[in-house]
Amino acid sequence: MAAGEKAITCAASIGAGCATLADAAITGGILTIFAGATGAASLFSDQASKSSIESELTKIRKEIYGSLSRYTTENETTPATIDAIYIRLDSSFQDCIPTDTELVEAGVAPSEIGKLILEKLSQIDGRFETDKIWREIARRIFEGAFERAFARQDFLLSLAPKITQQTLQDLTIIKDGVAELRLENAEGMEKILARLESIEHTSGDARPLGDPAQLQKQIRTLYRSNDVEAQKALERGVPGDGIDDLDALNRQRVNHIRDMESGLAIEKLAAARSCRAAGAAHFFLGQVGKALENYEAARELEPNDFWTLVYLTRIYHLSARTAEALTFANLSANAALTEREHSVALNEIGDIQVARGDLTAALTAYGEGLVIARHLAEDETNAGAQRDLSVSLNKIGDIQIARGDLAAALTAYEGSLAISRRLAENETNAGAQRDLSVSLNKVGDIQVARGALAAALTAYEEGLSIRRRLAEDETNAGAQRDLSVSLNNIGNIQIARGDLAAALTFYQEGLAILRRLAEDQTNAGAKRDLSVSLNKIGDVQVARGDLAAALAFYQEGLVIARRLAEDQTNAGAKRDLSVSLDRVGAIQRARGDLTTTLTAYEESLTIRRHLAEDETNAGARRDLSVSLNNIGDIQIARGDLAAALTFYEEGLVIARRLAENETNAGAQRDLSVSLERTGDTYEKLDDIEAAIRQYEESLPVAERLAALDQTHTQWAYDLKITRRRLAALKAKR
């Protein structure tokens, strides 16, 4: 194929006459830009595709101008230098356009193809190798263009048959003796795992955007047609022996480079890429320890690779090592080269700040990321940008829930849900289906907080239906974990509706999944999920009156929570520990052991006072009020009414402040409960008028809640008790 044929209509008029760049007139010819989506004439034979490509390049041109303008201002680059670079690119670029084969071998990742073109340019003109400004500007142009082009579905679908054909060849190499692959002939292994790396590079949130389950299914189908032993390995949850063999190969490569006084740059890049591919595979399979080993090796070889730093952030976060996670999140922000990468890094920073309990810092990071995401999503044809905007909106909604602003949270979640529904119209796109299930769960969470259980159940059930389909692949740890979350959500609704048997059924199904996932001792996220699930089943056993069974579940969860809370910087783990302590304390209290109960409650209170120092964290403030009420209850049981009233009144101050948000049904009920606890204490102190005032303030709150959802058995019962107690108090006047 001739270079001119490859280019097709790839020319974009970047500066045919004069253009303004860094406040200077730049003259030059037409810069020919290969934008990824126009890799070869064979990929786009119809005129409509060519027209859409030209439209894409018009948008790319504007982004390139903005990027170069910022770069030249920061680096004091002269207009003459920019003009010289443009002219040289214009005259040389057609000789550097990748072939179809090179596209596939590059792993279908923008950064890899950018490096490939730069290597070819460097051979034509050494300045693209040695001169920082020349190389940086060329790299920014190509990678920025590729990031946009690779979001186009038509391009990816056109490449799919080529990738499949190449994968068949790769599998033949593996089948013929992967264990014998040596350093110099490991191309087959790298090619197949490059597909995982290409998925890695499309990830915009804490979970991969790409669909590893579908990729694994494709590989599994191909294996089953050729290799019985590989099929057996796959049924054990490992996609052939390929990933483990690649781990061994990577260790050989890294050790080889370390032994050299100065390894070749190309050899280092190849080894780093191989480590990232294996790391991505392990990450998708939930094998956190092996993922960390590979990504740390990749960083040693290529310290400033953006996606290596992002995945190290995520791995350390999953491992409850938030201090290291925040360090790598900040490093990824510094390494970001595109707007999209910067928004990804900001979301990572926000996630870590949430884990550390700093909601203000988290909201700042998420807000900056949202601004970028909205800008990139102005192109409604860019599904990747639309998806990123949906993720950003969900993160903002999460923070608003923690701050107690349910109206703002619902607005954000509904915006995300609308985007997710559009993207999920393609039912074969498992990633889009998963995103839709996430949005549905978020909206369901808000409806629970508002007391609309029927609406919440509708959203949760739709999400569960999606997740059951996605979890049919039992090797996909992420899909399995998602299914357990949906099962727990519906169990929660059944608890609120008073159907304990149904709740237990959902919880037990979720627990079985989480026990399997938590077998990976390095996966703190799976351990935490298991602890939560154990607590939920304990709750059901308490409601059924089986305190011994409940205590067994709670204590198992407490052991896990203590271990995870050893990371002093992880606010989420500390909060989980306080919850486990409260549950164990409640059982001991029911069994009459007040001393053990008070010890557990006081440890929990200490944790919660620390977490509630951030007054913007409504959840932490609410937890503190619960702990204060718990200790007040113990003081009542011990006969120290004055001490009990002190704890109750401190909790009531917090409850009043949280209940200022009248859309938060949970906060309204907490206020009602707190008022009545205080009223009961006044009654014991023979201050009947003070007790009546507390109950009279509680009554309208209880009435509003009962009217809000007539299927909510707890609220109906609360109202009945409030009326009865108030009548009894008035009779004592």
Side-chain angles (χ1 to χ4, degrees):
M1 184 182 297
E5 291 176 329
K6 293 177 187 172
I8 326 172
T9 55
C10 300
S13 180
I14 300 296
C18 292
T20 302
L21 183 61
D23 300 323
I26 305 298
T27 60
I30 295 177
L31 174 62
T32 302
I33 297 179
F34 172 74
T38 58
S42 60
L43 298 184
F44 299 99
S45 56
D46 61 283
Q47 191 59 41
S49 293
K50 296 176 184 178
S51 175
S52 66
I53 292 162
E54 290 174 338
S55 175
E56 286 294 321
L57 289 172
T58 300
K59 298 170 186 174
I60 292 168
R61 179 179 60 187
K62 296 178 181 178
E63 293 185 358
I64 291 170
Y65 270 131
S67 177
L68 293 183
S69 177
R70 289 191 296 274
Y71 184 82
T72 54
T73 301
E74 294 167 0
N75 293 274
E76 299 182 354
T77 307
T78 65
T81 301
I82 302 297
D83 196 31
I85 296 172
Y86 271 33
I87 292 170
R88 190 57 173 139
L89 286 173
D90 188 47
S91 64
S92 305
F93 188 69
Q94 286 196 14
D95 295 329
C96 303
I97 297 174
T99 64
D100 287 357
T101 300
E102 288 172 329
L103 274 174
V104 173
E105 291 181 347
V108 199
S111 61
E112 295 297 327
I113 298 176
K115 292 172 186 174
L116 177 65
I117 295 174
L118 282 173
E119 290 301 322
K120 292 188 175 186
L121 280 172
S122 299
Q123 295 170 13
I124 296 171
D125 189 326
R127 286 173 292 186
F128 287 107
E129 176 64 31
T130 59
D131 190 298
K132 177 182 177 182
I133 293 172
W134 280 61
R135 188 173 182 85
E136 182 70 7
I137 288 178
R139 184 188 57 74
R140 282 179 181 248
I141 288 173
F142 303 139
E143 292 190 11
F146 298 147
E147 285 288 353
R148 174 178 290 280
F150 273 54
R152 293 179 56 84
Q153 293 296 317
D154 56 353
F155 173 55
L156 296 177
L157 291 174
S158 298
L159 271 185
K162 300 176 184 297
I163 295 172
T164 302
Q165 182 179 8
Q166 187 65 49
T167 301
L168 280 166
Q169 297 171 12
D170 298 340
L171 288 166
T172 300
I173 295 173
I174 294 173
K175 186 174 78 70
D176 289 343
V178 69
E180 298 178 3
L181 284 174
R182 296 183 176 86
L183 184 64
E184 64 271 15
N185 65 353
E187 293 87 352
M189 183 70 73
E190 288 188 44
K191 288 175 186 174
I192 189 171
L193 287 171
R195 246 62 75 210
L196 283 168
E197 187 182 38
S198 71
I199 294 174
E200 170 194 53
H201 280 245
T202 64
S203 177
D205 64 347
R207 305 187 62 81
L209 164 62
D211 182 17
Q214 291 300 318
L215 178 63
Q216 291 167 18
K217 283 182 179 179
Q218 179 192 39
I219 295 172
R220 186 160 56 246
T221 300
L222 296 171
Y223 263 134
R224 285 175 175 167
S225 65
N226 296 291
D227 193 327
V228 175
E229 291 304 315
Q231 180 178 357
K232 292 179 180 177
L234 283 164
E235 289 170 353
R236 295 195 301 270
V238 180
D241 294 325
I243 297 174
D244 289 338
D245 288 328
L246 185 62
D247 288 341
L249 177 64
N250 287 340
R251 284 191 287 272
Q252 293 174 14
R253 278 184 158 181
V254 173
N255 290 335
H256 173 67
I257 291 170
R258 286 171 179 162
D259 291 340
M260 299 171 61
E261 291 185 4
S262 58
L264 294 175
I266 190 67
E267 189 171 358
K268 285 187 176 181
L269 290 176
R273 175 171 166 267
S274 185
C275 289
R276 289 198 302 273
H282 288 305
F283 184 84
F284 293 143
L285 293 171
Q287 298 163 350
V288 179
K290 291 183 178 180
L292 178 60
E293 177 186 347
N294 278 280
Y295 275 115
E296 284 182 333
R299 182 172 180 254
E300 179 183 343
L301 298 166
E302 197 174 4
N304 295 317
D305 179 77
F306 174 76
W307 286 102
T308 297
L309 296 169
V310 166
Y311 272 80
L312 283 169
T313 299
R314 295 174 180 178
I315 290 166
Y316 280 118
H317 191 181
L318 281 172
S319 302
R321 296 165 63 180
T322 53
E324 292 101 322
L326 185 59
T327 296
F328 280 108
N330 286 321
L331 287 173
S332 71
N334 293 333
L337 299 173
T338 65
E339 281 191 299
R340 199 257 176 175
E341 287 183 353
H342 193 204
S343 71
V344 169
L346 287 165
N347 282 345
E348 298 295 331
I349 291 171
D351 291 345
I352 304 305
Q353 296 293 11
V354 168
R356 292 166 66 91
D358 190 342
L359 298 189
T360 301
L363 186 59
T364 298
Y366 287 154
E368 290 179 19
L370 179 62
V371 170
I372 297 173
R374 285 196 188 281
H375 168 66
L376 296 177
E378 290 174 1
D379 176 6
E380 295 185 357
T381 66
N382 187 333
Q386 296 296 315
R387 194 262 178 184
D388 287 345
L389 176 57
S390 172
V391 170
S392 283
L393 287 167
N394 276 341
K395 290 182 182 294
I396 293 289
D398 292 344
I399 291 294
Q400 298 297 4
I401 280 189
R403 293 165 64 96
D405 191 342
L406 299 188
L410 184 59
T411 298
Y413 287 157
E414 287 180 337
S416 176
L417 178 60
I419 296 170
S420 296
R421 283 202 185 279
R422 288 198 303 272
L423 296 178
E425 289 174 1
N426 176 6
E427 294 185 359
T428 65
N429 186 334
Q433 294 296 313
R434 193 256 172 190
D435 289 341
L436 175 57
S437 73
V438 170
S439 286
L440 288 164
N441 278 351
K442 299 282 188 186
V443 170
D445 292 344
I446 286 290
Q447 300 295 6
V448 168
R450 301 177 74 189
L453 297 187
L457 185 60
T458 298
Y460 286 155
E461 287 179 334
E462 184 180 353
L464 177 63
S465 177
I466 294 170
R467 290 182 169 183
R468 284 200 185 278
R469 290 198 306 271
L470 297 178
E472 289 173 2
D473 178 2
E474 294 185 0
T475 68
N476 188 329
Q480 295 297 314
R481 192 262 177 185
D482 286 344
L483 175 57
S484 74
V485 170
S486 284
L487 291 165
N488 282 344
N489 285 340
I490 294 184
N492 295 343
I493 295 292
Q494 300 300 347
I495 286 283
R497 301 177 76 173
D499 191 341
L500 299 183
L504 188 60
T505 298
F506 284 107
Y507 287 158
Q508 286 175 331
E509 185 180 354
L511 179 63
I513 295 170
L514 293 170
R515 285 199 186 279
R516 289 197 303 272
L517 296 179
E519 290 173 1
D520 177 1
Q521 298 299 318
T522 66
N523 190 334
K527 291 291 186 185
R528 190 261 176 187
D529 291 339
L530 175 58
S531 175
V532 171
S533 189
L534 290 164
N535 283 343
K536 288 184 179 296
I537 292 185
D539 293 344
V540 175
Q541 299 297 355
V542 168
R544 300 176 73 183
D546 191 342
L547 299 186
L551 184 60
F553 283 107
Y554 288 158
Q555 287 178 330
E556 185 181 353
L558 178 60
V559 170
I560 297 171
R562 280 201 187 280
R563 188 160 61 246
L564 296 177
E566 290 172 1
D567 176 4
Q568 298 298 319
T569 67
N570 190 330
K574 304 299 281 186
R575 194 259 176 186
D576 289 341
L577 174 57
S578 74
V579 170
S580 284
L581 287 164
D582 279 359
R583 281 179 160 87
V584 170
I587 294 295
Q588 300 294 5
R589 176 184 170 191
R591 301 174 76 176
D593 188 346
L594 297 185
T595 301
T596 303
T597 301
L598 186 59
T599 299
Y601 283 166
E602 286 178 337
E603 184 180 354
S604 175
L605 178 63
T606 299
I607 295 170
R608 290 176 172 179
R609 283 200 187 279
H610 172 67
L611 295 178
E613 289 174 1
D614 175 7
E615 295 194 359
T616 68
N617 189 333
R621 302 293 295 172
R622 193 260 178 186
D623 286 343
L624 175 57
S625 72
V626 169
S627 279
L628 291 164
N629 283 342
N630 284 341
I631 294 183
D633 292 345
I634 297 302
Q635 299 298 350
I636 288 285
R638 298 177 73 182
D640 191 342
L641 300 182
L645 188 60
T646 299
F647 284 106
Y648 286 154
E649 288 183 334
E650 184 182 353
L652 179 58
V653 170
I654 297 171
R656 285 190 192 283
R657 189 158 62 245
L658 295 177
E660 291 173 1
N661 178 1
E662 294 186 358
T663 67
N664 188 331
Q668 297 298 311
R669 182 176 188 269
D670 287 343
L671 174 59
S672 176
V673 169
S674 192
L675 285 164
E676 293 181 15
R677 271 193 169 95
T678 308
D680 291 343
T681 307
Y682 278 125
E683 181 187 15
K684 289 181 173 65
L685 290 168
D686 293 326
D687 190 343
I688 301 301
E689 292 304 316
I692 290 174
R693 286 196 297 273
Q694 301 299 101
Y695 270 90
E696 285 180 336
E697 184 179 350
S698 174
L699 179 61
V701 177
E703 288 174 337
R704 284 197 302 271
L705 289 174
L708 189 62
D709 184 355
Q710 296 182 2
T711 69
H712 201 302
T713 57
Q714 181 64 57
W715 292 348
Y717 179 75
D718 289 346
L719 177 58
K720 179 180 178 180
I721 295 299
T722 300
R723 285 173 172 166
R724 181 187 300 168
R725 289 284 298 127
L726 181 58
L729 286 169
K730 288 182 175 180
K732 289 186 176 182
R733 277 177 164 168

